[in-house]
Short mmCIF file of all heavy atoms in Angstrom, two decimals:
data_model
loop_
_atom_site.label_atom_id
_atom_site.label_comp_id
_atom_site.label_asym_id
_atom_site.label_seq_id
_atom_site.Cartn_x
_atom_site.Cartn_y
_atom_site.Cartn_z
N HIS A 560 -5.09 25.28 4.80
CA HIS A 560 -6.26 24.57 5.32
C HIS A 560 -7.29 25.66 5.92
O HIS A 560 -6.92 26.39 6.86
CB HIS A 560 -5.83 23.71 6.49
CG HIS A 560 -5.12 22.52 6.00
ND1 HIS A 560 -4.93 21.31 6.83
CD2 HIS A 560 -4.40 22.16 4.92
CE1 HIS A 560 -4.23 20.51 6.22
NE2 HIS A 560 -3.96 20.95 5.08
N THR A 561 -8.51 25.64 5.39
CA THR A 561 -9.52 26.53 5.75
C THR A 561 -10.60 25.77 6.36
O THR A 561 -11.67 26.44 6.74
CB THR A 561 -9.95 27.31 4.62
OG1 THR A 561 -10.32 26.52 3.49
CG2 THR A 561 -8.92 28.36 4.18
N GLU A 562 -10.68 24.41 6.50
CA GLU A 562 -11.70 23.64 7.11
C GLU A 562 -11.33 23.51 8.62
O GLU A 562 -12.14 23.89 9.49
CB GLU A 562 -11.92 22.37 6.47
CG GLU A 562 -13.10 21.56 7.04
CD GLU A 562 -14.46 21.98 6.49
OE1 GLU A 562 -14.61 23.20 6.24
OE2 GLU A 562 -15.29 21.11 6.39
N SER A 563 -10.23 22.81 8.87
CA SER A 563 -9.76 22.79 10.29
C SER A 563 -8.79 24.01 10.51
O SER A 563 -7.59 23.95 10.33
CB SER A 563 -9.04 21.47 10.47
OG SER A 563 -7.84 21.32 9.65
N VAL A 564 -9.47 24.98 11.00
CA VAL A 564 -8.66 26.37 11.16
C VAL A 564 -7.39 26.24 12.09
O VAL A 564 -7.50 25.52 13.09
CB VAL A 564 -9.68 27.31 11.81
CG1 VAL A 564 -9.06 28.69 11.89
CG2 VAL A 564 -10.94 27.50 10.80
N ASN A 565 -6.43 26.85 11.56
CA ASN A 565 -5.13 26.82 12.27
C ASN A 565 -4.33 25.49 12.21
O ASN A 565 -3.37 25.36 13.03
CB ASN A 565 -5.22 27.26 13.85
CG ASN A 565 -5.81 28.64 14.01
OD1 ASN A 565 -5.62 29.49 13.03
ND2 ASN A 565 -6.56 28.89 15.08
N SER A 566 -4.73 24.65 11.33
CA SER A 566 -3.95 23.41 11.31
C SER A 566 -2.90 23.47 10.40
O SER A 566 -2.95 24.18 9.23
CB SER A 566 -4.97 22.30 10.82
OG SER A 566 -5.34 22.40 9.49
N ASN A 567 -1.76 22.88 10.65
CA ASN A 567 -0.67 22.61 9.73
C ASN A 567 -0.87 21.58 8.85
O ASN A 567 -1.45 20.47 9.22
CB ASN A 567 0.66 22.49 10.58
CG ASN A 567 1.02 23.64 11.47
OD1 ASN A 567 0.93 24.82 10.96
ND2 ASN A 567 1.20 23.38 12.72
N PRO A 568 -0.39 21.57 7.59
CA PRO A 568 -0.47 20.48 6.63
C PRO A 568 0.28 19.25 7.06
O PRO A 568 1.35 19.46 7.60
CB PRO A 568 -0.05 20.99 5.29
CG PRO A 568 0.92 22.15 5.69
CD PRO A 568 0.42 22.78 7.02
N ILE A 569 -0.28 18.15 6.91
CA ILE A 569 0.44 16.87 7.17
C ILE A 569 1.47 16.55 6.04
O ILE A 569 2.47 15.81 6.18
CB ILE A 569 -0.56 15.69 7.48
CG1 ILE A 569 -1.50 16.15 8.52
CG2 ILE A 569 0.19 14.44 7.72
CD1 ILE A 569 -2.62 15.04 8.73
N GLN A 570 1.14 16.95 4.79
CA GLN A 570 1.71 16.44 3.57
C GLN A 570 1.36 14.95 3.34
O GLN A 570 2.24 14.14 3.11
CB GLN A 570 3.22 16.67 3.63
CG GLN A 570 3.58 18.08 3.56
CD GLN A 570 5.08 18.32 3.79
OE1 GLN A 570 5.64 18.44 4.94
NE2 GLN A 570 5.86 18.30 2.62
N MET A 571 0.05 14.77 3.48
CA MET A 571 -0.48 13.38 3.32
C MET A 571 -1.14 13.20 1.94
O MET A 571 -1.85 14.03 1.49
CB MET A 571 -1.58 13.20 4.34
CG MET A 571 -2.03 11.73 4.41
SD MET A 571 -0.84 10.68 5.14
CE MET A 571 -0.94 11.14 6.82
N GLU A 572 -0.70 12.19 1.19
CA GLU A 572 -1.36 11.80 0.00
C GLU A 572 -2.28 10.56 0.30
O GLU A 572 -1.98 9.66 0.99
CB GLU A 572 -0.31 11.34 -1.00
CG GLU A 572 -0.77 10.89 -2.33
CD GLU A 572 0.20 10.39 -3.29
OE1 GLU A 572 1.30 11.08 -3.41
OE2 GLU A 572 0.09 9.24 -3.92
N ILE A 573 -3.47 10.70 -0.29
CA ILE A 573 -4.53 9.69 -0.04
C ILE A 573 -4.98 9.13 -1.33
O ILE A 573 -5.52 9.91 -2.24
CB ILE A 573 -5.65 10.28 0.71
CG1 ILE A 573 -5.22 10.95 2.15
CG2 ILE A 573 -6.82 9.22 1.03
CD1 ILE A 573 -6.16 11.66 2.84
N GLN A 574 -4.78 7.85 -1.56
CA GLN A 574 -5.23 7.12 -2.80
C GLN A 574 -6.50 6.27 -2.41
O GLN A 574 -6.38 5.61 -1.39
CB GLN A 574 -4.05 6.24 -3.23
CG GLN A 574 -2.84 6.93 -3.64
CD GLN A 574 -1.76 6.11 -4.12
OE1 GLN A 574 -2.02 4.88 -4.30
NE2 GLN A 574 -0.52 6.63 -4.30
N VAL A 575 -7.54 6.38 -3.17
CA VAL A 575 -8.77 5.75 -2.81
C VAL A 575 -9.20 4.89 -4.03
O VAL A 575 -9.23 5.28 -5.15
CB VAL A 575 -9.92 6.78 -2.50
CG1 VAL A 575 -11.15 6.02 -1.99
CG2 VAL A 575 -9.34 7.96 -1.61
N GLN A 576 -9.58 3.66 -3.60
CA GLN A 576 -10.35 2.73 -4.49
C GLN A 576 -11.80 2.57 -3.92
O GLN A 576 -11.90 2.10 -2.86
CB GLN A 576 -9.78 1.31 -4.54
CG GLN A 576 -8.45 1.19 -5.40
CD GLN A 576 -8.00 -0.17 -5.34
OE1 GLN A 576 -7.77 -0.79 -4.35
NE2 GLN A 576 -7.80 -0.70 -6.46
N ALA A 577 -12.79 3.06 -4.65
CA ALA A 577 -14.17 2.74 -4.19
C ALA A 577 -14.67 1.71 -5.27
O ALA A 577 -14.53 1.86 -6.43
CB ALA A 577 -14.98 4.06 -4.28
N PHE A 578 -15.37 0.74 -4.76
CA PHE A 578 -15.86 -0.29 -5.60
C PHE A 578 -17.15 -0.94 -5.05
O PHE A 578 -17.50 -0.79 -3.83
CB PHE A 578 -14.82 -1.37 -5.86
CG PHE A 578 -14.29 -2.06 -4.62
CD1 PHE A 578 -14.74 -3.28 -4.13
CD2 PHE A 578 -13.18 -1.50 -3.94
CE1 PHE A 578 -14.24 -3.91 -3.13
CE2 PHE A 578 -12.66 -2.13 -2.89
CZ PHE A 578 -13.14 -3.25 -2.42
N ALA A 579 -17.88 -1.57 -5.92
CA ALA A 579 -19.18 -2.24 -5.59
C ALA A 579 -19.29 -3.47 -6.47
O ALA A 579 -18.67 -3.63 -7.55
CB ALA A 579 -20.26 -1.38 -5.77
N ILE A 580 -20.09 -4.36 -6.03
CA ILE A 580 -20.31 -5.74 -6.71
C ILE A 580 -21.80 -5.84 -6.77
O ILE A 580 -22.70 -5.71 -5.77
CB ILE A 580 -19.74 -6.90 -5.83
CG1 ILE A 580 -18.20 -6.68 -5.76
CG2 ILE A 580 -20.06 -8.20 -6.48
CD1 ILE A 580 -17.47 -7.58 -4.74
N SER A 581 -22.22 -6.30 -8.02
CA SER A 581 -23.69 -6.57 -8.29
C SER A 581 -23.86 -8.10 -8.00
O SER A 581 -23.15 -8.88 -8.65
CB SER A 581 -24.00 -6.33 -9.77
OG SER A 581 -25.28 -6.55 -9.95
N SER A 582 -24.72 -8.35 -7.04
CA SER A 582 -24.97 -9.79 -6.67
C SER A 582 -26.40 -9.98 -6.30
O SER A 582 -27.28 -9.11 -6.19
CB SER A 582 -24.02 -10.09 -5.58
OG SER A 582 -24.48 -9.41 -4.33
N ASN A 583 -26.75 -11.29 -5.93
CA ASN A 583 -28.07 -11.58 -5.46
C ASN A 583 -28.13 -11.73 -3.99
O ASN A 583 -29.12 -12.40 -3.42
CB ASN A 583 -28.45 -12.94 -6.08
CG ASN A 583 -28.57 -12.69 -7.62
OD1 ASN A 583 -29.16 -11.70 -8.13
ND2 ASN A 583 -28.14 -13.70 -8.31
N ASP A 584 -27.17 -11.27 -3.18
CA ASP A 584 -27.12 -11.46 -1.82
C ASP A 584 -26.91 -10.04 -1.20
O ASP A 584 -27.02 -9.16 -1.86
CB ASP A 584 -26.00 -12.42 -1.32
CG ASP A 584 -24.65 -12.10 -1.73
OD1 ASP A 584 -24.44 -10.95 -2.20
OD2 ASP A 584 -23.73 -13.00 -1.69
N GLU A 585 -26.50 -9.94 0.15
CA GLU A 585 -26.46 -8.77 0.86
C GLU A 585 -25.37 -7.82 0.37
O GLU A 585 -25.40 -6.63 0.62
CB GLU A 585 -26.23 -8.92 2.32
CG GLU A 585 -25.01 -9.77 2.72
CD GLU A 585 -25.22 -11.34 2.73
OE1 GLU A 585 -26.26 -11.73 2.23
OE2 GLU A 585 -24.37 -11.96 3.26
N VAL A 586 -24.28 -8.48 -0.38
CA VAL A 586 -23.30 -7.61 -0.96
C VAL A 586 -23.86 -6.63 -1.91
O VAL A 586 -23.22 -5.58 -2.15
CB VAL A 586 -22.27 -8.56 -1.55
CG1 VAL A 586 -21.14 -7.69 -2.27
CG2 VAL A 586 -21.51 -9.36 -0.49
N ASN A 587 -25.02 -6.92 -2.52
CA ASN A 587 -25.69 -6.02 -3.48
C ASN A 587 -26.08 -4.69 -2.83
O ASN A 587 -26.33 -3.67 -3.48
CB ASN A 587 -26.90 -6.59 -4.07
CG ASN A 587 -27.33 -6.08 -5.43
OD1 ASN A 587 -26.47 -5.86 -6.29
ND2 ASN A 587 -28.58 -5.64 -5.48
N ASN A 588 -26.14 -4.63 -1.51
CA ASN A 588 -26.39 -3.39 -0.73
C ASN A 588 -25.27 -2.71 -0.05
O ASN A 588 -25.39 -1.95 0.78
CB ASN A 588 -27.51 -3.79 0.36
CG ASN A 588 -28.79 -4.17 -0.16
OD1 ASN A 588 -29.28 -3.62 -1.11
ND2 ASN A 588 -29.45 -5.15 0.38
N MET A 589 -24.04 -3.16 -0.53
CA MET A 589 -22.76 -2.54 0.16
C MET A 589 -21.99 -1.84 -0.95
O MET A 589 -22.03 -2.14 -2.06
CB MET A 589 -21.98 -3.78 0.66
CG MET A 589 -22.52 -4.67 1.69
SD MET A 589 -21.43 -5.94 2.27
CE MET A 589 -22.42 -6.88 3.25
N THR A 590 -21.25 -0.92 -0.40
CA THR A 590 -20.15 -0.22 -1.17
C THR A 590 -18.86 -0.38 -0.37
O THR A 590 -18.94 -0.44 0.97
CB THR A 590 -20.42 1.22 -1.45
OG1 THR A 590 -20.64 1.90 -0.26
CG2 THR A 590 -21.72 1.39 -2.32
N PHE A 591 -17.64 -0.44 -1.06
CA PHE A 591 -16.39 -0.73 -0.39
C PHE A 591 -15.54 0.52 -0.74
O PHE A 591 -15.47 0.98 -1.85
CB PHE A 591 -15.92 -2.03 -0.86
CG PHE A 591 -16.66 -3.23 -0.62
CD1 PHE A 591 -17.78 -3.45 -1.31
CD2 PHE A 591 -16.25 -4.02 0.40
CE1 PHE A 591 -18.46 -4.66 -1.07
CE2 PHE A 591 -16.94 -5.14 0.69
CZ PHE A 591 -18.16 -5.47 -0.03
N TYR A 592 -14.65 0.82 0.26
CA TYR A 592 -13.69 1.90 0.14
C TYR A 592 -12.32 1.54 0.66
O TYR A 592 -12.20 1.12 1.76
CB TYR A 592 -14.22 3.23 0.83
CG TYR A 592 -15.57 3.67 0.35
CD1 TYR A 592 -16.73 2.99 0.90
CD2 TYR A 592 -15.79 4.48 -0.69
CE1 TYR A 592 -18.04 3.37 0.50
CE2 TYR A 592 -17.06 4.80 -1.11
CZ TYR A 592 -18.12 4.21 -0.57
OH TYR A 592 -19.41 4.55 -1.02
N ARG A 593 -11.34 1.59 -0.15
CA ARG A 593 -9.91 1.23 0.15
C ARG A 593 -9.07 2.40 0.21
O ARG A 593 -8.85 3.08 -0.94
CB ARG A 593 -9.46 0.12 -0.74
CG ARG A 593 -8.38 -0.75 -0.17
CD ARG A 593 -6.99 -0.13 -0.38
NE ARG A 593 -5.96 -1.04 0.14
CZ ARG A 593 -4.63 -0.82 0.23
NH1 ARG A 593 -4.22 0.43 -0.28
NH2 ARG A 593 -3.80 -1.62 0.56
N TYR A 594 -8.68 2.82 1.44
CA TYR A 594 -7.79 4.09 1.51
C TYR A 594 -6.34 3.73 1.79
O TYR A 594 -6.03 2.99 2.59
CB TYR A 594 -8.24 4.89 2.66
CG TYR A 594 -9.50 5.62 2.46
CD1 TYR A 594 -10.83 5.02 2.59
CD2 TYR A 594 -9.62 7.02 2.12
CE1 TYR A 594 -11.96 5.71 2.30
CE2 TYR A 594 -10.76 7.75 1.91
CZ TYR A 594 -12.01 7.07 1.97
OH TYR A 594 -13.16 7.78 1.75
N LYS A 595 -5.51 4.33 0.90
CA LYS A 595 -4.00 4.17 1.28
C LYS A 595 -3.55 5.67 1.57
O LYS A 595 -3.64 6.53 0.76
CB LYS A 595 -3.27 3.64 0.04
CG LYS A 595 -1.77 3.54 0.25
CD LYS A 595 -0.85 3.27 -0.99
CE LYS A 595 -1.23 1.96 -1.57
NZ LYS A 595 -0.43 1.66 -2.74
N LEU A 596 -3.09 5.84 2.83
CA LEU A 596 -2.60 7.11 3.42
C LEU A 596 -1.04 7.10 3.37
O LEU A 596 -0.55 6.21 4.01
CB LEU A 596 -3.16 7.33 4.85
CG LEU A 596 -4.67 7.80 4.90
CD1 LEU A 596 -5.62 6.79 4.35
CD2 LEU A 596 -5.00 8.01 6.29
N ILE A 597 -0.51 8.06 2.75
CA ILE A 597 0.90 8.06 2.56
C ILE A 597 1.45 9.25 3.14
O ILE A 597 1.17 10.47 2.60
CB ILE A 597 1.34 7.92 1.07
CG1 ILE A 597 0.82 6.71 0.42
CG2 ILE A 597 2.92 8.01 0.99
CD1 ILE A 597 0.98 6.61 -1.05
N ASN A 598 2.23 9.34 4.10
CA ASN A 598 2.83 10.48 4.71
C ASN A 598 4.08 10.88 3.87
O ASN A 598 5.11 10.06 3.96
CB ASN A 598 3.25 10.22 6.15
CG ASN A 598 3.97 11.35 6.78
OD1 ASN A 598 3.98 12.46 6.30
ND2 ASN A 598 4.62 11.10 7.93
N ARG A 599 4.02 11.86 3.12
CA ARG A 599 5.15 12.31 2.34
C ARG A 599 5.92 13.43 2.92
O ARG A 599 6.77 14.06 2.12
CB ARG A 599 4.63 12.70 0.87
CG ARG A 599 4.10 11.47 0.06
CD ARG A 599 4.08 11.68 -1.32
NE ARG A 599 3.45 10.61 -2.04
CZ ARG A 599 4.17 9.42 -2.44
NH1 ARG A 599 5.41 9.30 -2.11
NH2 ARG A 599 3.56 8.44 -3.12
N ALA A 600 5.78 13.72 4.18
CA ALA A 600 6.60 14.68 4.79
C ALA A 600 7.97 14.20 5.10
O ALA A 600 8.26 12.99 5.02
CB ALA A 600 5.95 15.13 6.14
N ILE A 601 8.95 15.11 5.43
CA ILE A 601 10.28 14.62 5.55
C ILE A 601 10.37 14.06 7.04
O ILE A 601 11.51 13.73 7.45
CB ILE A 601 11.28 15.80 5.42
CG1 ILE A 601 11.01 16.87 6.32
CG2 ILE A 601 11.24 16.25 3.88
CD1 ILE A 601 12.11 18.01 6.26
N GLU A 602 9.40 14.16 7.85
CA GLU A 602 9.49 13.87 9.25
C GLU A 602 8.32 12.87 9.58
O GLU A 602 7.29 12.86 8.93
CB GLU A 602 9.29 15.12 10.12
CG GLU A 602 8.05 15.95 9.78
CD GLU A 602 8.13 17.31 10.23
OE1 GLU A 602 9.30 17.83 10.50
OE2 GLU A 602 7.18 18.13 10.15
#
């Protein structure tokens, strides 16, 4: 890790779905992000 200096790795896997819908209402101005965070460490 060279962004958060001196940090130990979590062993985290992150799965992302980013999606959008074309519509005639306010949803047309939105984007959506679905994060699944999986701790794959032994602890």
Side-chain angles (χ1 to χ4, degrees):
H560 288 200
T561 51
E562 184 80 329
S563 58
V564 180
N565 297 330
S566 67
N567 296 313
I569 303 172
Q570 295 172 267
M571 188 71 72
E572 176 182 316
I573 304 172
Q574 303 179 7
V575 192
Q576 287 179 305
F578 57 95
I580 297 167
S581 179
S582 68
N583 295 320
D584 58 16
E585 61 271 15
V586 176
N587 201 51
N588 293 320
M589 299 182 187
T590 57
F591 298 77
Y592 305 84
R593 201 275 185 183
Y594 285 82
K595 181 190 290 184
L596 283 64
I597 306 172
N598 179 16
R599 294 200 182 277
I601 61 172
E602 57 205 9

